[in-house]
């Protein structure tokens, strides 16, 4: 009986190990949740047992379940129990579970301090290792403070296996407990010259991460890193150091000058794509920071662009992508060098891979010029049509708008073309960016006065077929353009050819299905149109026609009064009452047009988006003090403030530019005269801006304008912008001919050959393309005394700000890291201590061990000091170092193999290793191809052997061998310089 | 209440995810402290995004303010998140290196190896990367550390003694 019971319990405990659980879950696909909740119940039972093996098994299963998304935070205490197991097997599982599910909010984490400290000082390096690994995942500010000293001690452990882990985790400690940075930094710096390459690379990693966030504190390390860069053959390390230099150079341009040579050498010599890519990026960063005073940096830029072109032309999508990405960085400062590769970029637009197309789009932004804009946009428009998937299409749309509108429409020579492009874009189905198109339409119509007539004609056509734009629910985003169309037609109604028709289009019942904010704009602008029509009719002495319009308004406005949208309802009610009042006046034959128009008198000027922010705060005004209760955030987007108040109107008048003002007034006077003299339908023949342009003295007659005017007559909705491509060509051709004719005259005076060449060159240049219309892009208004300040965009929550610490200042006593002694006293006060079974066992033992450790750690440190003494550099002082040129430090360029036999040999070896270490991707594609993996094994093995060999060879050369003189590579877990056979045996024995 | 929301503290690598073609998570390693909720959200979003990509697409994508580097090996996707200034190619190399390590350890590794020995997969990763940084660039050294730790485990794992313990209770 007793035996059976025991057997039963064994079965129960072992019927589910991890494998069984995994299998079980796979077999219960239909009722997975139920099965797992059953398993969790079992696990809960298992955790109640005293047997640590059972507990560890349960925790292991929980870790798996956590990955599947189940909450296991309730088992945190059990996890700590397993962490404290004396057996490595269980400890490992405990720490794994902790690293997967502990975080700063885990409250029992404070119970782990003593256990972790015990494990850190364990005689087994694997216990220590597992504790360090775990800690790196869940270290909290408290743990960091309490354990900083222990970890710092481990940085000088005899085993490189521990040293490198301790060095790496120090970075996490710094982040959580910035006070530890200064006391620990000297030792960290020592590790940059650790005899073990792994530890050295770890130290480089940590310092590079630190320096990347606060570069100025690490400038003084530049000489040391420079030495490492020119001597290291480990690509992992090189990449980190080069990245670090990229962060340092903006602070010290002289450093950049020093770097260019070794970096370009690396670019020439390396075959590891990852390193090449890093070098190119850093050279770009250096050149950007050097933008001035670098005489022959064009060669470096050319080299980068050339290498990047090779990447982009590669069949590997990854290299193509990165090539384009890096190219866009060069573009910002050296657009000319990149523009030469426009063909390549355009080619990438046809790539199958969307990510590559997007990168190419980014590049195009900087590549457009007056000359090629129309062509590039045409290409993009054709992609819009082809694009599948709304994301990419939306991206194209944004890019088209970005490209065209950049630098205040700098590249646009023909705004009719641009308006046509925008109108074409409204035919996009399901785009989210209707508001972008709308914003462009508004901006162009408001700021480019010459285009208003054309814009209005296009917008009225758009309003006329609003049903197409806003028909299906899918097209919701695009109906935003109606907002712009309605406003433009209303505000610039004097340009409308058939205002009545537009008015009717805006009063259609279908309009009430549009979003509220658009309806509100409709209602408001209907009145503007109405005012314009009234004026026409009254001037033409057609009172009946005027009354008909009023009647139409009275009939149609109620549909808006019933709107559920408050804004629409309120505006419509007001206006309806106004119109009814007008109706009464009209019945008495009172002329009303003048007064109604007065509602919208005055001109709206574009205001810079930042204008409001830039208004200086008057002295003595506290903007933070509440006057009344805090106002709610109301959406003011759809209200366009109108200048109906006298005061405001005056201000606008004052701010208008005097010349434009006179011109405008003259034009209006002219228009009014014509209006009075003629039938209102003559308005359309009023002088168009284009015609005025033709009349301007000194500018040749441009027939193209008349051809352009035919465009609006096309059936709306047909692609119109294409026609401009041909028209533009013709126009420019004519311009060129004209210019050539002039040139010829000049040429007779000048010397023949030179002038001709220059002439042909000039005709190709960008500046030469004259705009189709004279365009006065109104600049946006800014308040007087606007502050030129740019907002401080530093994030106050930046975790690295705490690490912005001066590391050169000598260490004060008060800064020393808390030592174990008084921390033990601290923790013994803690009431939770009793819950941790292991912590109280042998509190004194770790201390002894630490002492031992300290003794041991002296040895390597002494060695290092010796070394430092020997390698005394001429320039510890940064200024001195920067002012001297590197001599032997820079490896010669590989193109000259015969230069120096010895150096060449050493170089070759370095090269070899460089190729072997990481990322020699271009060399063989198979490496990255999983399908071909097996066939690669042999090759890889061969390579690895080579790698090992070259390492062995290098070691004695690179470092002064440590006193024992062993040229053997230091291996983790193997015996180091320190002969401690007893310890080594201890490791292999089961503990406890 | 000591855990305050703050911007994600960075590591060279923010996290690594392994998931199957069916979108099942096979391994997750987070080098930045995030709440479970956030981890789940990120995982869900990323798995979706990566699986939606076409096979011939490049291995990189921009996601939130991070760069995602992923690579498919047989039925498994290996997916890492790095910061803006980090090197995509070296991250691909890290992924490849890890796959090689798994391959060496399990002997031509397959998805099932990782499912059934997921803790081993973690142990290998922990010897290769620490806190998101590469801690050991030599494959040989990583495998050696794992083998030795395993040896320690096997010696400790004496099933008989466990049985005895149970028999005694």
């Amino acid at each position: 009986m007793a035996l059976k019971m025991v057997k039963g319990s064994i079965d129960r405990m072992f019927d589910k190990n991890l494998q069984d659980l995994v299998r079980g879950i796979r077999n219960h696909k239909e009722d997975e949740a139920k099965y797992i909740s059953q398993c969790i119940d079992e696990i809960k039972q298992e955790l109640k047992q005293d047997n640590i093996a059972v507990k560890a098994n349960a925790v292991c299963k929980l870790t798996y379940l956590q990955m599947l998304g189940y909450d296991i935070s309730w088992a945190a205490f059990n996890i700590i129990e397993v962490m404290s197991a004396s057996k490595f097997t269980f400890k490992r599982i405990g720490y794994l579970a902790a690293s997967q599910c502990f975080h700063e909010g885990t409250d029992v984490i404070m119970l782990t301090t003593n256990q972790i400290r015990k494990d850190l000082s364990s005689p087994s390096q694997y216990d220590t290792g597992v504790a360090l690994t775990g800690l790196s995942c869940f270290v909290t500010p408290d743990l960091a403070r309490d354990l900083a000293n222990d970890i710092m001690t481990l940085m000088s452990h005899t085993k490189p296996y521990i040293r490198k882990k301790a060095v790496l985790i120090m970075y996490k400690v710094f982040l959580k407990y910035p006070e530890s940075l200064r006391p620990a930094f000297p030792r960290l710096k020592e590790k940059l010259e650790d005899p073990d390459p792994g530890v050295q690379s770890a130290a480089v990693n940590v310092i590079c991460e630190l320096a990347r966030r606060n570069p100025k504190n690490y400038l003084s390390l530049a000489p040391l890193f420079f030495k490492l860069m020119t001597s290291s053959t480990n690509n992992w390390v090189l990449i980190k150091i080069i990245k670090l230099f990229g962060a340092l150079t903006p602070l010290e341009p002289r450093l950049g000058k020093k770097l260019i040579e070794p970096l370009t050498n690396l670019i020439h010599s390396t075959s590891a794509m990852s390193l090449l890519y890093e070098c190119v990026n850093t050279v770009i960063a250096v050149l950007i920071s050097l933008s001035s005073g670098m005489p022959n940096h064009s060669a470096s830029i050319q080299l980068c662009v050339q290498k990047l072109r090779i990447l982009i032309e590669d069949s590997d999508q990854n290299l193509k992508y990165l090539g384009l990405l890096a190219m866009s960085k060069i573009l910002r400062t050296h657009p000319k060098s990149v523009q030469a590769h426009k063909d390549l970029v355009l080619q990438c637009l046809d790539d199958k891979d969307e990510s590559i197309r997007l990168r190419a789009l980014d590049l195009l932004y900087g590549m457009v010029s007056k000359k090629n804009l129309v062509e590039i946009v045409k290409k993009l428009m054709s992609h819009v049509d082809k694009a599948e998937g709304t994301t990419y299409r939306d991206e194209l749309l944004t890019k088209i708008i970005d490209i065209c509108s950049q630098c205040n429409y700098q590249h646009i020579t023909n705004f009719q073309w641009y308006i046509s492009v925008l109108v074409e874009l409204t035919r996009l189905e399901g785009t989210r960016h209707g508001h972008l198109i709308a914003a462009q339409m508004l901006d162009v119509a408001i700021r480019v006065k010459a285009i208003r007539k054309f814009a209005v004609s296009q917008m009225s056509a758009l309003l006329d077929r609003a049903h197409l734009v806003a028909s299906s629910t899918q097209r919701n985003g695009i109906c935003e353009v109606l907002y712009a169309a309605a406003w433009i037609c209303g505000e610039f109604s004097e340009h409308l050819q058939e205002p009545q028709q537009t008015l009717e289009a805006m009063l259609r019942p279908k309009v009430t299905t549009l979003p509220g904010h658009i309806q509100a704009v409709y209602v408001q602008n209907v009145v503007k149109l109405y005012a314009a029509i009234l004026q026409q009719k009254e001037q033409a002495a057609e009172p009946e026609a005027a009354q008909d319009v009023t009647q139409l308004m009275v009939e149609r406005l109620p549909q808006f009064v019933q709107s559920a949208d408050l804004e629409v309802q309120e505006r419509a009610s007001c206006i309806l009452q106004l119109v009814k009042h007008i109706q009464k006046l009209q019945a008495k034959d009172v002329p009303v047009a003048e007064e109604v128009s007065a509602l919208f008198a005055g001109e709206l000027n574009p205001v810079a988006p930042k204008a409001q922010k830039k208004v200086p705060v008057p002295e003595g005004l506290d903007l933070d003090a509440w006057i009344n209760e805090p106002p709610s955030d109301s959406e003011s987007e759809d209200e366009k403030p109108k200048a109906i108040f006298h005061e405001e109107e005056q201000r606008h008048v004052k701010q208008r530019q005097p010349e434009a003002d006179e011109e405008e007034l003259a034009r209006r006077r002219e228009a009014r005269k014509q209006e009075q003299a003629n039938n209102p339908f003559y308005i359309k023949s009023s002088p168009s801006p284009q015609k005025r342009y033709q009349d301007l003295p000194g500018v040749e007659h441009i027939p193209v304008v008349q051809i352009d005017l035919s465009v609006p007559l096309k059936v709306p909705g047909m692609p119109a912008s294409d026609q401009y491509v041909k028209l533009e060509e013709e126009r420019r051709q004519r311009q060129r001919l004209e210019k050539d004719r002039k040139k010829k005259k000049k040429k007779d005076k000048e010397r023949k050959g030179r002038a001709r060449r220059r002439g042909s060159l000039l005709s190709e240049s960008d500046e030469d393309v004259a705009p189709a219309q004279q365009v006065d892009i109104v600049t946006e208004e800014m308040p007087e005394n606007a502050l030129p300040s740019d907002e401080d965009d530093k994030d106050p929550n930046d975790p690295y700000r705490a690490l912005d610490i001066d590391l050169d200042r000598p260490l004060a006593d008060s800064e020393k890291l808390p030592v174990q002694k008084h921390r033990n006293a601290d923790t013994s006060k803690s009431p939770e201590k009793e819950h941790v079974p292991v912590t109280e066992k042998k509190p004194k033992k770790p201390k002894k061990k630490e002492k031992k450790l300290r003794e041991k750690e002296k040895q390597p440190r002494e060695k290092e000091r010796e070394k430092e003494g020997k390698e005394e550099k001429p320039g510890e002082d940064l200024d001195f170092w920067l002012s001297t040129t590197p001599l032997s430090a820079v490896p010669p360029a590989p193109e000259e193999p015969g230069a120096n036999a010895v150096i060449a040999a050493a170089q070759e070896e370095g090269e070899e290793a460089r190729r072997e270490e990481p990322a020699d991707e271009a060399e063989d594609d198979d490496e990255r191809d999983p399908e071909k993996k097996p066939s690669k094994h042999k090759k890889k093995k061969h390579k690895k052997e080579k790698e090992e060999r070259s390492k062995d060879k290098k070691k004695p050369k690179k470092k002064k061998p440590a006193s024992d003189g062993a040229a053997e590579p230091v291996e983790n877990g193997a015996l180091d310089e320190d002969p401690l056979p007893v310890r080594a045996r201890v490791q292999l024995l089961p503990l406890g | 209440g000591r855990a305050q929301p703050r911007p994600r503290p960075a590591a060279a690598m923010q996290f690594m995810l392994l998931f199957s073609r069916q979108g099942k998570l096979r391994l997750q390693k987070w080098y930045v402290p995030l709440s479970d909720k956030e981890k789940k959200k990120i995982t869900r979003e990323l798995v979706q995004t990566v699986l939606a990509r076409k096979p011939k697409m490049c291995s990189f994508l921009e996601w939130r303010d991070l760069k995602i580097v992923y690579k498919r090996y047989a039925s498994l996707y290996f997916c890492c998140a790095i910061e803006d200034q980090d090197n995509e190619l070296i991250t691909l190399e890290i992924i490849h290196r890890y796959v090689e390590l798994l391959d060496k350890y399990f002997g031509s590794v397959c998805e099932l190896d990782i499912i059934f020995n997921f803790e081993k997969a973690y142990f290998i990763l922990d010897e290769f990367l620490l806190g998101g940084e590469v801690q050991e660039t030599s494959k040989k050294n990583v495998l050696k550390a794992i083998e030795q730790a395993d040896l320690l485990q096997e010696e400790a794992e004496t099933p008989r003694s466990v049985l005895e313990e149970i028999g005694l209770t």
Side-chain angles (χ1 to χ4, degrees), chain A residues 537-575:
Chain A
K537 304 290 178 196
E538 281 189 14
Q539 276 161 7
E542 295 177 13
E544 273 174 32
Q547 282 177 15
D548 286 349
V549 181
T550 310
Q551 185 55 35
L552 180 74
M553 292 284 278
V554 173
E555 276 167 20
R556 296 289 176 81
L557 277 173
Q559 64 185 349
F560 296 110
V561 176
Q562 289 159 11
S563 170
D565 189 286
L566 275 183
E567 187 67 34
V568 179
Q569 197 191 73
E570 204 171 2
R571 288 187 194 209
S573 319
C574 282
I575 288 162

Side-chain angles (χ1 to χ4, degrees), chain A residues 843-890:
Chain A
K844 284 201 171 172
K845 207 180 167 188
K847 263 195 214 162
K848 266 189 212 161
K849 268 183 200 142
E850 204 183 37
K851 225 185 219 170
K852 243 184 172 176
L853 268 178
R854 286 233 169 96
E855 273 167 21
K856 259 173 253 151
E857 94 203 15
K858 268 181 198 163
Q859 277 183 310
R861 251 198 286 172
E862 271 164 19
K863 273 177 228 154
E864 273 152 60
R865 252 176 233 139
E866 255 178 289
K867 210 168 52 182
E868 260 173 43
K870 274 179 207 161
E871 293 180 9
E872 191 87 70
K873 267 184 272 85
E876 274 308 317
D877 174 30
L878 186 68
D879 279 333
F880 179 72
W881 177 75
L882 283 168
S883 60
T884 54
T885 41
L887 297 169
S888 58
V890 183

Side-chain angles (χ1 to χ4, degrees), chain A residues 6 9-10 13-14 18-19 22-23 26 32 51 53 60 63-64 66-67 69 71 87-89 92-93 96 99-100 104-105 110 124 126 133 136-137 142 161 164-165 168-169 171-172 175-176 198 205 209 212-213 234 236 239-240 243 273-274 277-278 317-319 321-322 325 353-355 359 388 795 797-800 917-919 921 927-928 930 933 937 940 944 948 951 970-973 987-990, chain B residues 2-4 6-12 24-34 36 39-40 53-54 56-62 67 71-74 83 85-90 92-94 96-97 99-100 103-104 109 112 115-120 122-123 126-128 130-141 144-146 148-157 162-163 165-167:
Chain A
V6 169
S9 71
I10 293 169
M13 270 177 282
F14 283 98
L18 178 66
Q19 274 76 25
V22 174
R23 218 166 279 137
R26 290 167 73 85
E32 193 184 287
N51 188 312
C60 189
T63 314
Y64 186 80
Q66 193 256 356
M67 184 167 66
D71 175 40
K87 286 200 174 81
F88 176 70
T89 320
R92 206 184 189 188
I93 289 168
L96 174 62
S99 64
Q100 291 300 102
E104 276 190 25
M110 64 179 81
S124 159
Y126 294 106
T133 306
S136 74
C137 294
D142 285 348
Y161 178 77
K164 70 181 183 208
K165 281 182 196 282
L168 282 176
I169 201 189
Y171 177 60
K172 301 275 167 182
L175 282 175
K176 298 288 174 183
N205 278 350
E209 281 302 315
R212 230 160 97 174
R213 323 290 174 177
N234 181 335
W236 303 85
I239 285 174
K240 282 279 175 182
K243 194 179 291 297
M273 282 298 168
S274 50
Y277 181 60
E278 196 65 53
Q317 299 291 82
N318 290 338
L319 298 183
Y321 176 91
L322 294 177
L325 190 65
D353 187 342
E354 186 181 304
S355 345
R359 284 275 85 88
E388 26 183 289
D795 181 6
N797 290 325
D798 183 3
Y800 306 105
E917 280 280 287
E921 308 220 346
E927 190 96 357
R928 279 157 294 123
K933 230 175 77 193
H937 275 275
K940 257 185 256 163
K944 239 189 85 180
E948 242 80 78
K951 247 187 195 163
V970 190
E971 278 165 5
N972 292 332
Q987 286 163 26
L988 298 173
L989 288 174
Chain B
R2 78 180 73 176
Q4 278 174 358
R6 43 161 104 184
R8 187 187 45 245
K24 284 250 198 277
L25 195 60
R26 295 300 179 211
L27 184 139
Q28 51 168 341
K29 191 79 195 177
W30 301 82
Y31 297 109
V32 286
L34 291 170
D36 280 354
K39 285 180 187 173
K40 273 187 202 167
R53 284 173 67 89
K54 300 198 181 78
K56 284 281 164 66
M57 281 182 156
C58 73
S59 299
F60 317 123
L61 57 122
E62 280 172 2
K67 295 197 286 198
K71 180 131 186 75
R72 188 180 145 184
Y73 287 88
E83 279 195 301
Q85 318 94 310
D86 288 317
N87 189 319
E88 292 93 338
L89 290 175
I90 207 75
L92 263 189
E93 180 64 23
I94 288 175
H96 186 70
R97 193 55 72 104
V99 173
E100 283 182 331
D103 202 51
K104 279 256 165 59
V109 66
L112 281 182
I115 297 173
F116 282 106
N117 304 284
F118 87 110
E119 84 279 21
K120 298 282 188 204
Y122 278 116
F123 295 150
D126 285 342
E127 286 299 335
F128 177 38
L130 192 140
E133 298 280 350
V134 175
Q135 65 165 314
E136 182 55 70
T137 54
S138 148
K139 271 177 266 179
K140 207 181 85 184
N141 284 352
K144 197 164 177 180
I146 288 291
Q148 296 223 336
D150 279 353
L151 209 64
L152 210 60
Q153 178 162 339
E154 272 160 35
E155 276 176 41
E157 247 175 24
V162 174
L163 276 178
E165 269 180 59
I166 295 157

Side-chain angles (χ1 to χ4, degrees), chain A residues 700-952:
Chain A
E700 53 270 273
H701 174 72
I702 303 176
V704 99
V705 175
Q706 280 162 2
I707 300 167
D708 281 357
L709 283 174
S710 68
V711 174
L713 298 177
K714 287 272 165 193
V715 182
M718 293 297 285
S721 65
D722 272 4
Q723 296 160 335
Y724 290 93
V725 181
K726 214 176 146 210
L727 292 178
E728 269 300 295
E729 264 167 33
E730 288 169 9
R731 190 174 68 84
R732 283 178 196 173
Q733 182 64 30
R734 270 192 298 279
Q735 273 180 2
R736 261 196 296 274
L737 287 174
E738 189 73 17
K739 205 145 279 166
D740 281 353
R741 223 185 304 137
K742 278 184 186 168
K743 284 268 152 57
K744 265 177 202 157
K745 282 177 201 164
K746 269 188 192 173
K747 205 168 59 182
D748 296 336
K749 293 170 194 168
E750 288 179 29
R751 258 172 284 166
K752 280 183 182 174
R754 242 181 77 200
R756 183 185 290 143
R757 203 179 304 138
R758 202 196 294 153
S760 60
L761 270 177
L762 269 176
S763 67
E764 288 303 310
S765 87
D766 201 32
E767 293 73 30
D768 221 36
V769 183
Q773 303 99 2
Q774 184 171 28
V775 165
D776 167 32
I777 303 177
V778 184
T779 43
E780 294 157 325
E781 283 182 3
M782 285 291 252
E784 279 174 53
N785 315 322
L787 304 166
S789 71
D790 266 319
E791 285 75 71
D792 187 13
D793 45 19
K794 275 209 169 172
D795 181 6
N797 290 325
D798 183 3
Y800 306 105
R801 272 195 18 179
L803 284 179
D804 186 0
I805 293 167
D806 180 10
L807 295 164
D808 297 328
R809 190 161 42 92
L811 201 63
D813 269 355
S814 58
E815 285 184 284
K816 295 231 166 88
L817 288 176
V819 220
Q820 200 179 358
K821 218 190 224 167
H822 84 261
R823 264 175 299 128
N824 258 358
D826 265 358
T827 40
S828 65
K829 276 179 217 155
S830 136
E832 287 93 351
K833 200 195 158 201
E834 290 91 69
H835 299 299
V836 187
V838 217
T839 43
E840 358 178 73
K841 273 186 188 164
K842 299 160 195 166
K844 284 201 171 172
K845 207 180 167 188
K847 263 195 214 162
K848 266 189 212 161
K849 268 183 200 142
E850 204 183 37
K851 225 185 219 170
K852 243 184 172 176
L853 268 178
R854 286 233 169 96
E855 273 167 21
K856 259 173 253 151
E857 94 203 15
K858 268 181 198 163
Q859 277 183 310
R861 251 198 286 172
E862 271 164 19
K863 273 177 228 154
E864 273 152 60
R865 252 176 233 139
E866 255 178 289
K867 210 168 52 182
E868 260 173 43
K870 274 179 207 161
E871 293 180 9
E872 191 87 70
K873 267 184 272 85
E876 274 308 317
D877 174 30
L878 186 68
D879 279 333
F880 179 72
W881 177 75
L882 283 168
S883 60
T884 54
T885 41
L887 297 169
S888 58
V890 183
E895 286 103 314
E896 315 130 14
N900 181 326
V902 186
I903 296 180
Q907 178 73 15
E908 226 171 67
E909 219 174 300
E911 233 49 355
E912 176 98 310
R914 212 164 266 167
R915 225 169 292 135
E916 294 312 334
E917 280 280 287
D920 41 353
E921 308 220 346
E923 206 176 336
D924 36 28
D925 256 29
D926 327 10
E927 190 96 357
R928 279 157 294 123
D929 197 345
E931 270 69 43
K932 292 180 194 162
K933 230 175 77 193
S935 68
K936 281 291 299 170
H937 275 275
K938 253 188 234 162
K939 215 174 177 182
K940 257 185 256 163
K941 203 175 239 170
H942 178 61
K943 252 195 203 170
K944 239 189 85 180
E945 277 163 19
K946 267 205 289 183
E947 183 183 332
E948 242 80 78
R949 242 187 294 132
S950 63
K951 247 187 195 163
D952 289 1

